[in-house]
Amino acid sequence: IQYNTTMVIASHDLFWLNTTVDTIFVLHKGKIIGTGEKNVIHGPWLQDSSQLWFKKISENIRIIAATTPPKPNATAILNPSEVILANKKPKGLSAQNIIDGIIINLSTHTNDKIKVVVDIQGLHMISHITHQAVQELELVPGKKIWIIFKASSIHWCQHFD
């Protein structure tokens, strides 16, 4: 049933929002930072001995950024279309971020894309892939998967932190 009306809903329940609404506005500290689904990665960001900046997820897992954050507690954005999925840990790639996780949800994103939500030690990362990719990779909730993205795909919310 469509009522041709507008509602504003504020929620942190992204699973529910994505099945309920037509448009999502991403807010950070009260400011709109984008529309649609985004992977939001909050600081702190640390610098290693090779001068790379990273977000520590666990003892063995970190997300690497190619550029310097505007401040150590900066918030980063990663577009779900820039997240690649693989059944096995890939080798010989230029991408700095190759991280394993568990699929926790698959849902329709658009007519031609599926949203895959991957849990990485409590951090939920979203990837948008084709129906064909879901079938070829045999993706189901509970399956271990590798997410891959370039360090240069990380963008900073410079004006809102």
Side-chain angles (χ1 to χ4, degrees), residues 72-85:
N73 256 359
T75 298
I77 298 292
L78 174 64
N79 192 319
S81 64
E82 296 188 57
V83 177
I84 297 168
L85 302 178

Side-chain angles (χ1 to χ4, degrees), residues 40-125:
V40 180
I41 308 162
H42 298 286
W45 293 85
L46 307 168
Q47 194 171 31
D48 65 17
S49 59
S50 64
Q51 305 303 307
L52 286 175
W53 286 89
F54 68 94
K55 161 72 177 176
K56 184 176 180 180
I57 305 302
S58 70
E59 269 314 302
N60 300 319
I61 300 173
R62 61 188 200 164
I63 293 175
I64 299 169
T67 59
T68 303
K71 63 183 186 177
N73 256 359
T75 298
I77 298 292
L78 174 64
N79 192 319
S81 64
E82 296 188 57
V83 177
I84 297 168
L85 302 178
N87 280 329
K88 296 179 183 174
K89 184 175 184 177
K91 297 180 181 189
L93 297 179
S94 64
Q96 294 291 306
N97 294 292
I98 302 172
I99 305 166
D100 66 320
I102 303 294
I103 296 173
I104 59 171
N105 191 27
L106 292 107
S107 60
T108 303
H109 173 63
T110 61
N111 289 340
D112 61 339
K113 298 285 183 181
I114 298 293
K115 176 180 101 172
V116 181
V117 181
V118 179
D119 178 71
I120 303 166
Q121 303 285 318
L123 175 67
H124 293 174
M125 297 291 282

Side-chain angles (χ1 to χ4, degrees), residues 6 44 86 102 114 118 129 137 141 147 157 161:
T6 299
I102 303 294
I114 298 293
V118 179
I129 62 173
L137 294 171
I147 68 165
C157 295
D161 283 321

